[in-house]
Amino acid sequence: MYSTNVAGCSKNDCRMVSSSHCTETYGGFFLIGCNGRLPAGDKGRKCSKFILVRRDVPNGLRQASAHRISSPKSSEPTKATEKFIIRYIFSNEESVLVDYASDKETDMFQIGRSDENDFPVLGKIAEGKGKARGSTVAKYSCRVLANRANKSEVRIYAAGFDSNKEIVLEEKKAVKWKKGSDTNVDALTFNGILLNNPEGSFCGGELEAGVWREVSVCGNILSLRGVRSSHEKGREINTSTNLLRDGSLVDLCGATLLWRSAEGLQKCINENYIKNIFNKLSESINDVFIIPRKYVREELEDKKQYPHVYVNCGHVHKGRLLPEDCPSCQVTGPHQNLCMGMEFAFYVDDVNDSFTPELYAFIPCGHIATEKTVKFWARTPLPHGKSGYQSICPFCGTALQGYPGYIHLKFCGGST
């Protein structure tokens, strides 16, 4: 189905393979703002998508023991220890060390800016340049535990273990609290890991975006802090869970990921689905348009052969030197060249849905998708900055403009 970064395959060096070869797939993460690949191209383990499959040998972890240390500086654990440890530093005089033991029932995967993670994520990337500047994605942002016996049970936790098998929650950076005893503790990372579980079924488009929450180091769910890095934690929400659902959104503060479950990947549309839409579209118009399917708009060579949409009326004409007023209705407005949304995981359509030639485009970027898809993303604001939110095109990350942020395409033919 996908050629992408894969963790857990039987081959030791297997990183870029088709997930159809890995029958025990838990699901996959897809980086919002990438139209099927990174702008500079997927290279090695740095990809726009990451498929999780069952590991040959389980590497999951579970909490084993915890103890309080009154003089942390004189009680530093030995580096490169065989134990996995989470260190909660409350002050110079007090820390709590939580030991983690091997759990043969789960597989663990880690995500973050460091190349040591299973899925290295740089952060927001300038389209066409492939570089992230001033990334706020943590080196070890989060970890994911997948149940080997039940592939639909995949849970997310804030923070990941470093090369010393430690998670260090520093006194002034991480929000920490005790829960009834000196060793029953939890924490939030500095900029936090946010989770949005959709309400309804992602495939088929019968859904609404859920409420953004924050995930703790222990996997508890809390309401959002007033400001992302605030030292005042939100309230714990016992009715929510860190269990990922098909269509869950995970924000790493600088990058947002879409989770598609194993079932969701099976129902996800494919290139044949898009081809059938184009075939029906060509039957309904006199002048056949060449819809660019390149991953990055800058790769288009002869733009005069490709269509442009007038963003105020939706009429589509092809040509490089188009007039200011729409030739069909004379409405004045800018026009934008169109490009197909090629990351199929972002579509909310089911592969078994009936085909329709009706297409829409995000404004102002011009990425084309189905009606259900553009409407879902237009009404799904993603975290932006310290406390803001904005709706974006999932294929390029451009903030949507105007209301509703998309336009119905009216293919008229003709060229200029």
Side-chain angles (χ1 to χ4, degrees):
M1 184 182 298
Y2 288 104
S3 177
T4 183
N5 191 359
V6 178
C9 291
S10 57
K11 295 182 180 179
N12 293 331
D13 60 347
C14 182
R15 290 294 179 179
M16 299 290 292
V17 299
S18 170
S19 64
S20 62
H21 295 162
C22 307
T23 56
E24 295 297 326
T25 301
Y26 296 120
F29 285 106
F30 297 80
L31 183 59
I32 299 295
C34 294
N35 194 13
R37 68 173 195 185
L38 295 177
D42 290 348
K43 299 176 181 178
R45 296 175 58 242
K46 293 181 179 178
C47 303
S48 68
K49 54 184 78 78
F50 174 62
I51 305 299
L52 284 66
V53 300
R54 195 174 191 267
R55 295 186 183 276
D56 290 341
V57 178
N59 68 332
L61 298 171
R62 57 177 176 79
Q63 183 173 330
S65 62
H67 52 283
R68 179 177 176 273
I69 297 178
S70 58
S71 300
K73 290 186 177 180
S74 62
S75 305
E76 290 278 349
T78 303
K79 295 298 181 182
T81 177
E82 290 301 316
K83 292 183 178 180
F84 284 84
I85 295 174
I86 299 183
R87 185 201 304 263
Y88 298 80
I89 303 176
F90 286 90
S91 68
N92 288 334
E93 291 75 36
E94 181 186 15
S95 286
V96 174
L97 298 186
V98 180
D99 296 331
Y100 279 74
S102 176
D103 180 9
K104 295 182 179 180
E105 296 180 356
T106 60
D107 289 332
M108 184 174 71
F109 307 90
Q110 294 202 163
I111 303 171
R113 194 176 76 245
S114 172
D115 288 343
E116 295 174 350
N117 293 287
D118 296 291
F119 185 23
V121 176
L122 291 176
K124 290 186 176 178
I125 301 169
E127 185 171 321
K129 297 181 180 180
K131 294 182 179 179
R133 298 180 179 178
S135 176
T136 51
V137 176
K139 285 186 176 181
Y140 308 93
S141 294
C142 61
R143 62 198 193 278
V144 175
L145 289 178
N147 189 321
R148 291 170 62 86
N150 181 7
K151 65 181 181 180
S152 65
E153 185 178 319
V154 182
R155 298 181 181 274
I156 188 167
Y157 302 80
F161 292 94
D162 62 19
S163 57
N164 293 315
K165 300 181 180 179
E166 284 189 339
I167 295 175
V168 180
L169 301 163
E170 298 179 7
E171 176 186 357
K172 296 182 179 180
K173 286 190 175 182
V175 181
K176 297 168 287 293
W177 64 96
K178 298 177 181 179
K179 303 175 66 175
S181 70
D182 284 344
T183 57
N184 186 9
V185 294
D186 202 350
L188 304 175
T189 53
F190 181 64
N191 282 324
I193 300 300
L194 307 187
L195 174 65
N196 186 317
N197 280 327
E199 298 178 359
S201 173
F202 194 83
C203 274
E206 302 299 327
L207 81 161
E208 292 289 339
V211 178
W212 283 100
R213 306 293 192 193
E214 185 163 5
V215 183
S216 75
V217 173
C218 294
N220 293 307
I221 302 297
L222 296 86
S223 61
L224 300 185
R225 291 176 269 182
V227 178
R228 192 116 186 194
S229 57
S230 171
H231 285 275
E232 295 293 329
K233 72 178 182 69
R235 61 182 177 86
E236 291 196 41
I237 302 174
N238 296 325
T239 55
S240 296
T241 174
N242 65 336
L243 187 69
L244 296 177
R245 297 184 55 197
D246 187 37
S248 291
L249 291 164
V250 177
D251 190 82
L252 310 178
C253 190
T256 305
L257 306 175
L258 171 69
W259 169 256
R260 297 305 307 268
S261 66
E263 183 180 3
L265 291 177
Q266 292 296 322
K267 293 181 178 180
C268 181
I269 71 166
N270 50 38
E271 190 168 5
N272 287 332
Y273 186 95
I274 298 296
K275 286 181 179 178
N276 281 327
I277 291 179
F278 284 146
N279 290 338
K280 287 204 171 186
L281 180 64
S282 64
E283 294 172 1
S284 64
I285 58 178
N286 295 324
D287 191 11
V288 177
F289 285 86
I290 301 174
I291 305 294
R293 305 183 190 186
K294 296 288 186 180
Y295 291 93
V296 181
R297 187 178 293 106
E298 281 72 9
E299 295 178 358
L300 303 181
E301 296 177 358
D302 189 3
K303 292 186 178 180
K304 67 181 181 181
Q305 296 297 325
Y306 295 120
H308 287 65
V309 60
Y310 283 84
V311 299
N312 289 331
C313 62
H315 287 114
V316 179
H317 294 268
K318 70 178 180 181
R320 183 171 53 186
L321 301 175
L322 291 171
E324 182 179 354
D325 296 341
C326 172
S328 296
C329 65
Q330 285 70 55
V331 168
T332 301
H335 55 79
Q336 172 65 56
N337 59 298
L338 296 170
C339 186
M340 194 68 205
M342 291 301 294
E343 179 47 79
F344 305 124
F346 295 152
Y347 284 77
V348 300
D349 305 77
D350 190 308
V351 70
N352 296 314
D353 286 348
S354 58
F355 299 114
T356 171
E358 299 295 321
L359 293 176
Y360 289 69
F362 291 103
I363 302 299
C365 63
H367 276 104
I368 303 172
T370 59
E371 179 180 7
K372 291 179 180 180
T373 297
V374 297
K375 289 184 176 181
F376 169 74
W377 289 105
R379 62 175 182 260
T380 304
L382 304 184
H384 175 70
K386 293 183 178 180
S387 57
Y389 294 84
Q390 63 181 14
S391 296
I392 67 173
C393 168
F395 302 106
C396 66
T398 300
L400 302 186
Q401 292 181 3
Y403 179 83
Y406 56 85
I407 191 77
H408 180 207
L409 300 181
K410 305 167 186 174
F411 289 85
C412 304
S415 60
T416 300

